[in-house]
Amino acid sequence: MTDFTFQINNDVKWQYNNYFLDKAKNNKPVLQRAIVKPSRLVDIVADKTKFNGWSAQNDSRDLLKLDTYALGRNDSVILDFGNHHVGYFKVDLQHVGSPMDAPTYLHIKFAELPAELMGNSDEYDGWLSKSWIAEEYIHLDVVPTTLVLPRRYAFRYVQISVIDTSAKYKITLANPELTAVSAVLNKKVLKPLGLDDPVLQKIDDVSQKTLQDSMQDVYEDGPKRDHRLWLGDLRLQALANYATFDDRQLVKRSLYLFAGMPTTDGRLAANVFTEPEIVADDTFLFDYSLFFVSTLHDYYQHTRDVEVRNDLYDTAKKAIDVGLSFVNSAGVLSLDDRYPVFVEWSNTIDKTAAAQAILIYALKQFITLSEAQKLPVETYKNQLKQLIDAAKTYYFDAKEGLFVSGPERQINIASQVWMVLAGVLNSEQNYELMAKSKIKLFPITGIATPYMYHHVVEALFIAGHQTDAIQLIKDYWGGMIALGADTFWEAFDPNQPDFSPYGSVMVNSYSHAWSCTPSYLLRKYVMKLAV
Amino acid sequence: MTDFTFQINNDVKWQYNNYFLDKAKNNKPVLQRAIVKPSRLVDIVADKTKFNGWSAQNDSRDLLKLDTYALGRNDSVILDFGNHHVGYFKVDLQHVGSPMDAPTYLHIKFAELPAELMGNSDEYDGWLSKSWIAEEYIHLDVVPTTLVLPRRYAFRYVQISVIDTSAKYKITLANPELTAVSAVLNKKVLKPLGLDDPVLQKIDDVSQKTLQDSMQDVYEDGPKRDHRLWLGDLRLQALANYATFDDRQLVKRSLYLFAGMPTTDGRLAANVFTEPEIVADDTFLFDYSLFFVSTLHDYYQHTRDVEVRNDLYDTAKKAIDVGLSFVNSAGVLSLDDRYPVFVEWSNTIDKTAAAQAILIYALKQFITLSEAQKLPVETYKNQLKQLIDAAKTYYFDAKEGLFVSGPERQINIASQVWMVLAGVLNSEQNYELMAKSKIKLFPITGIATPYMYHHVVEALFIAGHQTDAIQLIKDYWGGMIALGADTFWEAFDPNQPDFSPYGSVMVNSYSHAWSCTPSYLLRKYVMKLAV
C-alpha cells in the first residue's frame, strides 16, 4: 500500500517495547522452500484481451533444448515458470566457441505479468522509486558458471537478454531454477471451497496463491515491492489466513511487531520494516492504527489465545483512546491532515463519514475485547452510542436514504459500506441502504483497490444482498483473472483495466495481499463457516 | 591489441606441454597491493585542449565533506584518484532520512579519462564486446553497508550516480577506497632517467606507470579490457621492464605459457588467457609467433638464464622453422590470409617487405641463441643470407633509395623501419634510408599505434638520427600527455587525436603496455645503458 500514504515525519517520539519485540522475534517463521522448474519458453505478443495488451505465447524454441541455443549479442529467452512465485533464481551458463575473450554481460528482468517485460525502465519517471523495477545488469568474467542471484523476486517470467558476449564466443543456458519461499508454502488449506462453481473455485485458488506468496518473514503487502507489514492489509490477510492456511504464529508475530513500536502518545505506525532491522515507519493513518484493535479482536475470536490478549490489550486501549480523542462533544470525529484516514486510494472520495464508521467498527471490537478482559466498558459503550447517534444525525440523509459525507454532502460508496460494516443501522435498514446504493452508486466507478471492493462485497453479504455480492466477486476478481492474473493485484479499476497508480506497469504489484479476501468472503458468507 | 587480429579458428590442433605449464604456474607472481584514497571530487567540463574535448575540473563540493552530501534520484559524484590505477573499489554507504522503504539503485562508471564518463553505453554498437564498458548497475537492499565491487577495473575516475533511493530517504558516501594491484607495485625503478629534461622525465614517469599497471598475473596488454598476454606486446613490455622494474619472473612465466601451448605444427598462439583457466587463443599472427624467439633472445641476453634457454630453445626453433617454411626458393617470404602478419593496425599499409624484415630480425636472434646452445648454425646462416639478399633484390628501389612493398611497390614507413631494425643494410645505408624516409614519409600519417611508433623511433636511433628520435618521442608520447594522459594509450594518431579503432572512447584502452617503451628507448639509446 502506498500512494498518498506517503509521509515523512521527522519529529516522531517512539517508545519501543523490547518485551513485545522479543516475542515478535521468537515467532519468526522458518520459511519453507520448494524448487520450481520453468514449464516453457515464451514470447510476449500483442493481445488486446490481456492486461495492458500483452500475453505470453509459446516460443518457437523448445525448453527441453534450452542448452543447445547459443546466445550472443541481443539474443534473449523468456522463461515461464507456469505460475506466480516468490523466491530466488539461478541458472547455469556454458560457453561455446573460441576462448572467452570478453566478459558476458546480461540483462535479467523479472515479471509477474507479460506486460512488464515490454516496459523500458529508462523511461519510468514516477514518484515511486525506480529501484523497485525488477531487473539486474550482470557482468560475468568467468563462464562456465552458475549464476545465483542473491536478491528475492516475485515473478512468473524471467527474461534473460545477452547484452553481449563477444564475436568469438556465445553462451548457452541450462538448469534454470526458482527456489520458491513462503511461511506456508507446503501447508494444506483446511477447508476446500467445494461450491461446484468453476469461476469461484478459480478465484479461490488465485486468492490463496496471492496470500501464500505474501506470507514471508511477515505478512508482506506485495512481495514484488514493499516487502512490508501494513496494519490495514494485515487485518485482511489474517482473516483470509484463518479461512485457509490458518497459520496463527505469523499473525501473532505481526501483532507484537506493531505493539512493540508505538509512539509515546499511543499511536501505532501504519507499517513496519523488518529488514535490515525491525523499525517502524514514520507514517500514520487513523484507520490503520485502529485496525490493530480489529486484528487483535479477530485473532482472539479465532484462537482464544488469552496470553496474547492480555499482553496486547493495553496497546489496543491506547489506540482506541487516541482515536476517540479526535471526537468532539457532539460525537463527531474530526481529523486533520496530520493524521489522515486511508479508507481507499481515491482522493476524490470524501472520507469523513467512512472514518466515523471505522471508529465505530473498531470501538465495538474493543468493547468485546474489554469484556473478555472483564474490564468495565460503560464509558466506551456511552461513547459508542454517541458516535452512532452522531453518524445517523449528521451523516444520514433521510430523503436520499443514503449516508452523505463532508461539507458537500457527497454520496459515495465508502460511506454506505462502512456504515453497514459498523452496524450503525439495523438489518432491514442495511438491506435498504445497500439496495439504494446499488441503484445510485453501481456500477462502481473511481475505485481502484481490491481493498475497497472487499469492503463493498462484505457489506453486500451482511446487508443480505448475497447474489450481488457473489456477482461482484465474479466480476471484479474474475475480471483480473480474465486479463491474465495468476495472483490478484494491488490495483484494478474495471473501467480502466490498464490503470497504474504509479504511471508504469513495471512498478505495480500484481500479487498484493489485500486482494486475497475472496477466500475469506466465500467461506464465511457462502459456505457459512466460522472463520 | 585487437582489431583485424580478430580470428576464429575451430580446427586448431594443440599440443599442450604440462612441464612448461607447471613452470609457468610456479612463477605466478604474488600481486602487491596498496590502498589509494581519492584526491578530490570533480566535474567533467568541455575543454577543447584535452582528449575528446573533456577535462576534469574541481567540483564545487569538497571531498572532505563527502559524507555530508545526501544523494537521491539523479544525484552523482565523481571521485578522482589522482592517477591511473588497476584494482578494486569500495565505498561505505549510509542512509539519511526516514526508514529505507525501497532499495538503493546505483550506476557506477569507471574511467581512465574524463571523456569516457560522457559516453552513453546504450549507444555503443561497435564490434568489440559491449561487456568491456566499465560500468555496473547495483541494487542495495540494505543500507548502511560497505559496497565492495568484486571485479577489477583500470581507472582514475569513478562516477557514482544514484538512479534512485526513494522520496523518503537518501544516501551518503564515505571512505571511498581503491586497492591498487600490480606485480611490481612497490618495486623501485633501478635506473632513474636523470636527463634533466622535464618533458622526457614526464614521459618516462608515464611510461613506467603504464608498464606497472599492465604487470599483473601476466603481462596484460591493457588492464581495462583484454587482460591478456599477447606475444608481440610481451616483447616490448619485457624490454621496458628490464630497463625499469627488472622483474624477471613474470617474463619467464610468460615465455613458459606460450611454449606450453603450441600447435602440433609448431606455431605459437598470438595470445593466451590465464582466466578462468590457462588456454591459448585460436588467433595466429606470423610476426607474433616469431617474437617468441625475440623475447627468449632478449631474456637470455639480459639474464643469462641457461635453464630457460635450454628448456625453450626447441620451441623457438620450431617457431623459426615454421616461419622459414613460408620462404620460397628465391628467398622471398610469401604469406597467405590464414597466417597474417600484424606489423601495425593499418590495413592500407602493404606489409610484405616488413614481414620479410621481421623474419630476418628474428632469425638473427635465433642464430645467436643457437650459438649459445653450441648448436650448428650453418644452414640458418645460409637462409639468413638468402633472405637478406632477396630483401635487397626485390624490395629495395635504388632510384628512390627506399624499400618498396607489394605488387604496387608501395613505399611505407613500416618497410623502412623494419629493414633498419633487421640490419639488412650497413650503418651508412641505414642513415641514408631514414634520412630519405624523413623527407618522403614524415610527418607520419595513417599510423595509430604506439607499437609502430616505437619501431620508428628505435630505427631512427639505430640509424643515427638521435635528435629526430628524441623529438618524435616528445611529439608523439608528449602529445598524449598534453591531451591529459596519465598512462599511454592503445591507439593515438596525432592527426586524429580522437580516433578510436572501436568507434567509442568507452571501449578504448588508455593504459596499454605496448606504448610504454620510451622508458626503454631513452635508457638504451640516450643514457646508453645496457638494457
Side-chain angles (χ1 to χ4, degrees):
Chain A
M1 204 199 70
T2 26
D3 204 23
F4 72 90
T5 57
F6 167 75
Q7 297 175 19
I8 295 176
N9 295 294
N10 297 321
D11 53 352
V12 184
K13 291 198 171 54
W14 301 99
Q15 191 165 36
Y16 280 24
N17 179 322
N18 285 324
Y19 174 74
F20 289 169
L21 292 178
D22 284 344
K23 286 212 172 183
K25 284 173 198 156
N26 293 340
N27 283 286
K28 192 175 159 117
V30 176
L31 294 185
Q32 300 170 4
R33 289 165 185 271
I35 302 297
V36 182
K37 305 280 187 181
S39 54
R40 57 175 183 156
L41 301 179
V42 294
D43 285 328
I44 309 303
V45 299
D47 180 350
K48 284 183 184 168
T49 70
K50 298 298 176 188
F51 176 72
N52 211 241
W54 300 102
S55 72
Q57 302 294 334
N58 285 332
D59 191 276
S60 59
R61 292 169 293 184
D62 181 356
L63 178 65
L64 294 174
K65 296 181 187 162
L66 179 63
D67 64 0
T68 68
Y69 302 128
L71 307 174
R73 182 186 286 191
N74 295 336
D75 291 332
S76 74
V77 293
I78 301 174
L79 303 165
D80 177 2
F81 281 90
N83 198 354
H84 186 274
H85 296 284
V86 175
Y88 301 87
F89 178 72
K90 73 172 192 178
V91 63
D92 294 338
L93 284 88
Q94 291 289 336
H95 134 277
V96 286
S98 293
M100 188 178 170
D101 62 337
T104 294
Y105 193 30
L106 302 177
H107 183 201
I108 304 183
K109 293 173 84 167
F110 296 88
E112 298 181 305
L113 284 177
E116 293 171 73
L117 296 177
M118 304 310 289
N120 179 351
S121 54
D122 287 345
E123 291 164 9
Y124 170 72
D125 198 33
W127 68 269
L128 202 70
S129 178
K130 297 180 190 186
S131 65
W132 285 123
I133 297 173
E135 64 179 342
E136 309 292 349
Y137 291 88
I138 295 164
H139 282 105
L140 296 168
D141 289 314
V142 173
V143 173
T145 191
T146 297
L147 173 62
V148 181
L149 296 184
R151 305 179 73 220
R152 201 199 70 184
Y153 306 93
F155 63 105
R156 169 174 171 169
Y157 305 98
V158 183
Q159 180 171 36
I160 303 174
S161 302
V162 178
I163 296 176
D164 218 340
T165 51
S166 91
K168 290 192 64 156
Y169 83 96
K170 294 188 176 187
I171 57 152
T172 59
L173 302 173
N175 309 314
E177 190 178 288
L178 184 170
T179 301
V181 292
S182 162
V184 291
L185 196 65
N186 306 314
K187 200 155 182 178
K188 282 232 174 73
V189 168
L190 302 177
K191 300 149 190 157
L193 199 59
L195 291 177
D196 200 22
D197 181 322
V199 174
L200 292 180
Q201 184 59 51
K202 177 71 181 169
I203 289 171
D204 184 44
D205 293 345
V206 172
S207 293
Q208 287 180 31
K209 185 66 175 140
T210 306
L211 176 61
Q212 184 180 59
D213 284 354
S214 81
M215 291 174 69
Q216 303 292 337
D217 183 49
V218 291
Y219 278 95
E220 297 185 6
D221 57 339
K224 171 176 173 177
R225 220 182 48 222
D226 283 22
H227 306 185
R228 251 186 286 172
L229 175 62
W230 287 83
L231 231 175
D233 308 48
L234 167 65
R235 168 176 156 261
L236 299 191
Q237 287 169 291
L239 290 171
N241 165 59
Y242 302 144
T244 53
F245 304 108
D246 198 16
D247 177 295
R248 297 167 186 200
Q249 180 182 322
L250 201 59
V251 182
K252 187 170 159 184
R253 165 171 161 79
S254 302
L255 286 166
Y256 279 108
L257 281 170
F258 282 107
M261 297 182 281
T263 63
T264 52
D265 60 6
R267 285 178 300 159
L268 297 170
N271 70 87
V272 300
F273 300 87
T274 51
E275 293 292 338
E277 52 183 348
I278 291 176
V279 60
D281 190 24
D282 56 352
T283 296
F284 299 91
L285 297 169
F286 175 79
D287 43 353
Y288 270 42
S289 198
L290 290 177
F291 287 143
F292 181 85
V293 179
S294 194
T295 309
L296 178 60
H297 166 270
D298 297 342
Y299 174 81
Y300 178 68
Q301 293 302 112
H302 184 68
T303 63
R304 299 289 158 182
D305 182 337
V306 176
E307 181 189 340
V308 169
R309 195 197 69 204
N310 283 333
D311 275 352
L312 302 183
Y313 176 81
D314 282 351
T315 306
K317 183 174 188 305
K318 277 183 196 147
I320 212 77
D321 287 346
V322 169
L324 290 169
S325 73
F326 291 91
V327 179
N328 69 17
S329 57
V332 173
L333 175 67
S334 176
L335 295 171
D336 62 28
D337 288 349
R338 285 173 303 168
Y339 201 21
V341 66
F342 176 64
V343 181
E344 215 291 312
W345 264 348
S346 168
N347 279 324
T348 58
I349 285 183
D350 186 282
K351 299 172 179 176
T352 316
Q356 177 97 4
I358 290 170
L359 179 57
I360 294 167
Y361 176 89
L363 181 54
K364 283 185 171 179
Q365 294 174 317
F366 177 70
I367 289 168
T368 305
L369 279 172
S370 300
E371 287 169 342
Q373 286 290 100
K374 308 210 185 304
L375 289 170
V377 293
E378 211 48 37
T379 315
Y380 289 110
K381 283 193 166 171
N382 290 337
Q383 287 175 292
L384 176 62
K385 183 174 183 308
Q386 197 191 19
L387 282 165
I388 291 173
D389 290 345
K392 292 177 186 167
T393 307
Y394 296 105
Y395 296 123
F396 191 70
D397 184 319
K399 193 166 138 266
E400 292 280 359
L402 289 164
F403 287 90
V404 297
S405 186
E408 314 280 329
R409 299 180 63 80
Q410 186 190 78
I411 294 173
N412 66 45
I413 189 69
S415 309
Q416 323 309 322
V417 158
W418 271 107
M419 289 295 178
V420 171
L421 298 177
V424 170
L425 307 178
N426 66 30
S427 297
E428 293 72 27
Q429 291 167 328
N430 276 342
Y431 183 88
E432 282 305 309
L433 184 73
M434 290 312 291
K436 286 212 165 66
S437 295
K438 284 192 296 181
I439 295 164
K440 182 100 178 176
L441 299 166
F442 278 42
I444 295 166
T445 56
I447 301 290
T449 62
Y451 177 82
M452 188 67 228
Y453 273 89
H454 159 85
H455 294 112
V456 177
V457 171
E458 186 151 39
L460 286 168
F461 275 125
I462 287 172
H465 296 270
Q466 167 133 344
T467 307
D468 297 291
I470 292 172
Q471 193 57 47
L472 188 54
I473 289 175
K474 287 186 174 181
D475 289 348
Y476 186 75
W477 280 269
M480 287 187 251
I481 290 173
L483 287 168
D486 297 304
T487 44
F488 290 126
W489 308 340
E490 176 178 26
F492 176 53
D493 182 348
N495 306 304
Q496 317 173 62
D498 292 345
F499 171 74
S500 161
Y502 312 114
S504 167
V505 297
M506 284 180 292
V507 291
N508 268 29
S509 165
Y510 298 105
S511 180
H512 217 73
W514 69 8
S515 67
C516 75
T517 56
S519 288
Y520 156 76
L521 294 165
L522 293 169
R523 279 172 181 73
K524 178 162 182 182
Y525 297 105
V526 184
M527 295 170 68
K528 309 290 183 192
L529 295 171
V531 293
Chain B
M1 203 199 73
T2 25
D3 205 22
F4 73 89
T5 57
F6 168 75
Q7 298 175 20
I8 296 178
N9 295 292
N10 297 321
D11 54 351
V12 182
K13 292 196 171 57
W14 300 101
Q15 191 166 36
Y16 279 26
N17 180 321
N18 285 325
Y19 174 73
F20 289 169
L21 292 179
D22 284 345
K23 285 212 171 184
K25 284 172 197 157
N26 293 340
N27 283 287
K28 191 174 159 118
V30 176
L31 294 186
Q32 299 171 3
R33 289 167 183 271
I35 304 297
V36 183
K37 305 281 188 180
S39 54
R40 57 175 183 156
L41 300 178
V42 294
D43 285 328
I44 309 302
V45 299
D47 180 348
K48 285 183 183 169
T49 69
K50 298 297 176 186
F51 177 72
N52 211 242
W54 299 102
S55 72
Q57 302 294 334
N58 284 333
D59 190 276
S60 59
R61 291 170 293 184
D62 180 356
L63 177 65
L64 293 175
K65 296 180 187 162
L66 178 64
D67 64 0
T68 68
Y69 302 127
L71 307 175
R73 183 186 286 190
N74 296 336
D75 291 332
S76 74
V77 293
I78 301 174
L79 302 165
D80 176 2
F81 281 89
N83 199 354
H84 186 276
H85 296 284
V86 175
Y88 301 88
F89 178 71
K90 74 172 190 176
V91 63
D92 294 338
L93 282 89
Q94 291 289 335
H95 135 277
V96 287
S98 292
M100 188 179 170
D101 63 337
T104 294
Y105 193 30
L106 302 178
H107 183 201
I108 304 184
K109 292 173 84 168
F110 296 87
E112 298 180 307
L113 284 178
E116 293 172 72
L117 296 177
M118 304 310 289
N120 178 351
S121 54
D122 288 344
E123 291 165 10
Y124 170 71
D125 198 34
W127 69 269
L128 201 70
S129 179
K130 296 180 189 187
S131 64
W132 285 124
I133 296 173
E135 63 179 343
E136 309 292 349
Y137 290 89
I138 295 164
H139 282 105
L140 295 167
D141 289 313
V142 174
V143 173
T145 191
T146 297
L147 173 63
V148 181
L149 296 184
R151 305 180 71 221
R152 201 199 70 185
Y153 306 93
F155 63 106
R156 170 172 170 169
Y157 306 98
V158 183
Q159 181 171 35
I160 302 174
S161 302
V162 178
I163 295 176
D164 219 340
T165 50
S166 91
K168 290 192 62 154
Y169 83 96
K170 294 189 175 186
I171 58 152
T172 58
L173 303 173
N175 308 316
E177 191 177 287
L178 184 170
T179 302
V181 292
S182 161
V184 291
L185 195 66
N186 306 314
K187 200 153 181 179
K188 284 235 174 71
V189 168
L190 303 176
K191 300 150 190 156
L193 200 60
L195 290 177
D196 201 22
D197 181 321
V199 173
L200 292 179
Q201 184 59 52
K202 178 71 179 167
I203 290 171
D204 185 43
D205 293 345
V206 172
S207 295
Q208 287 179 31
K209 186 67 176 136
T210 306
L211 175 62
Q212 185 181 57
D213 284 354
S214 79
M215 290 174 70
Q216 303 291 339
D217 182 51
V218 290
Y219 278 96
E220 297 184 6
D221 56 340
K224 171 176 173 176
R225 223 180 45 223
D226 285 20
H227 306 183
R228 251 186 287 172
L229 174 62
W230 287 83
L231 231 174
D233 307 47
L234 167 65
R235 167 176 157 260
L236 299 192
Q237 287 170 291
L239 289 172
N241 166 58
Y242 303 144
T244 54
F245 305 107
D246 198 15
D247 176 295
R248 298 169 184 197
Q249 180 182 321
L250 201 58
V251 182
K252 187 170 159 182
R253 167 171 161 78
S254 303
L255 286 167
Y256 278 108
L257 281 170
F258 282 108
M261 296 183 281
T263 64
T264 52
D265 61 5
R267 285 178 300 158
L268 296 171
N271 69 89
V272 299
F273 300 88
T274 51
E275 293 293 339
E277 53 182 349
I278 291 176
V279 60
D281 189 25
D282 56 352
T283 296
F284 299 91
L285 297 169
F286 176 79
D287 43 352
Y288 269 43
S289 198
L290 289 178
F291 287 143
F292 180 85
V293 178
S294 193
T295 309
L296 178 61
H297 165 271
D298 296 342
Y299 174 79
Y300 178 68
Q301 293 302 112
H302 185 68
T303 63
R304 298 291 156 182
D305 182 336
V306 175
E307 181 189 340
V308 170
R309 195 196 70 205
N310 282 333
D311 275 351
L312 302 183
Y313 176 79
D314 283 351
T315 305
K317 183 173 187 306
K318 277 181 196 148
I320 212 77
D321 287 346
V322 169
L324 289 170
S325 73
F326 290 91
V327 179
N328 69 16
S329 57
V332 174
L333 174 68
S334 175
L335 295 171
D336 62 29
D337 287 348
R338 287 173 303 168
Y339 202 20
V341 66
F342 175 65
V343 181
E344 216 288 314
W345 264 349
S346 168
N347 279 324
T348 56
I349 285 183
D350 186 281
K351 298 173 180 177
T352 317
Q356 177 98 4
I358 289 170
L359 181 56
I360 294 166
Y361 176 88
L363 181 54
K364 283 185 171 177
Q365 293 175 318
F366 176 71
I367 289 168
T368 305
L369 279 172
S370 301
E371 286 168 343
Q373 286 291 100
K374 307 211 183 305
L375 289 170
V377 293
E378 208 50 37
T379 314
Y380 288 110
K381 283 194 166 170
N382 289 338
Q383 287 175 294
L384 176 64
K385 184 174 182 306
Q386 197 189 20
L387 282 166
I388 292 173
D389 289 347
K392 291 179 188 166
T393 306
Y394 298 104
Y395 296 122
F396 191 70
D397 184 319
K399 192 165 140 264
E400 292 281 357
L402 290 163
F403 285 90
V404 296
S405 185
E408 313 281 326
R409 298 179 65 79
Q410 186 190 81
I411 294 173
N412 66 44
I413 189 70
S415 309
Q416 324 310 320
V417 158
W418 271 108
M419 289 294 179
V420 170
L421 298 176
V424 170
L425 307 178
N426 66 30
S427 299
E428 293 73 26
Q429 290 168 326
N430 277 341
Y431 184 88
E432 280 305 311
L433 185 72
M434 291 312 291
K436 286 211 164 66
S437 295
K438 286 192 295 180
I439 294 164
K440 183 103 181 175
L441 299 166
F442 277 40
I444 296 167
T445 57
I447 301 291
T449 62
Y451 177 82
M452 187 67 228
Y453 272 89
H454 159 85
H455 294 112
V456 177
V457 171
E458 186 152 37
L460 286 169
F461 275 126
I462 287 172
H465 296 271
Q466 167 134 343
T467 306
D468 296 290
I470 292 172
Q471 192 57 47
L472 187 54
I473 289 175
K474 287 186 173 182
D475 289 349
Y476 187 75
W477 281 267
M480 288 187 251
I481 291 173
L483 286 167
D486 297 306
T487 44
F488 291 126
W489 307 341
E490 176 177 25
F492 176 54
D493 180 348
N495 306 304
Q496 318 172 61
D498 291 346
F499 171 74
S500 161
Y502 312 114
S504 168
V505 296
M506 285 180 293
V507 290
N508 269 28
S509 165
Y510 298 105
S511 180
H512 218 73
W514 70 6
S515 67
C516 75
T517 55
S519 288
Y520 155 77
L521 294 165
L522 293 169
R523 278 173 181 73
K524 177 162 181 181
Y525 297 104
V526 184
M527 294 170 69
K528 309 291 184 194
L529 295 171
V531 293

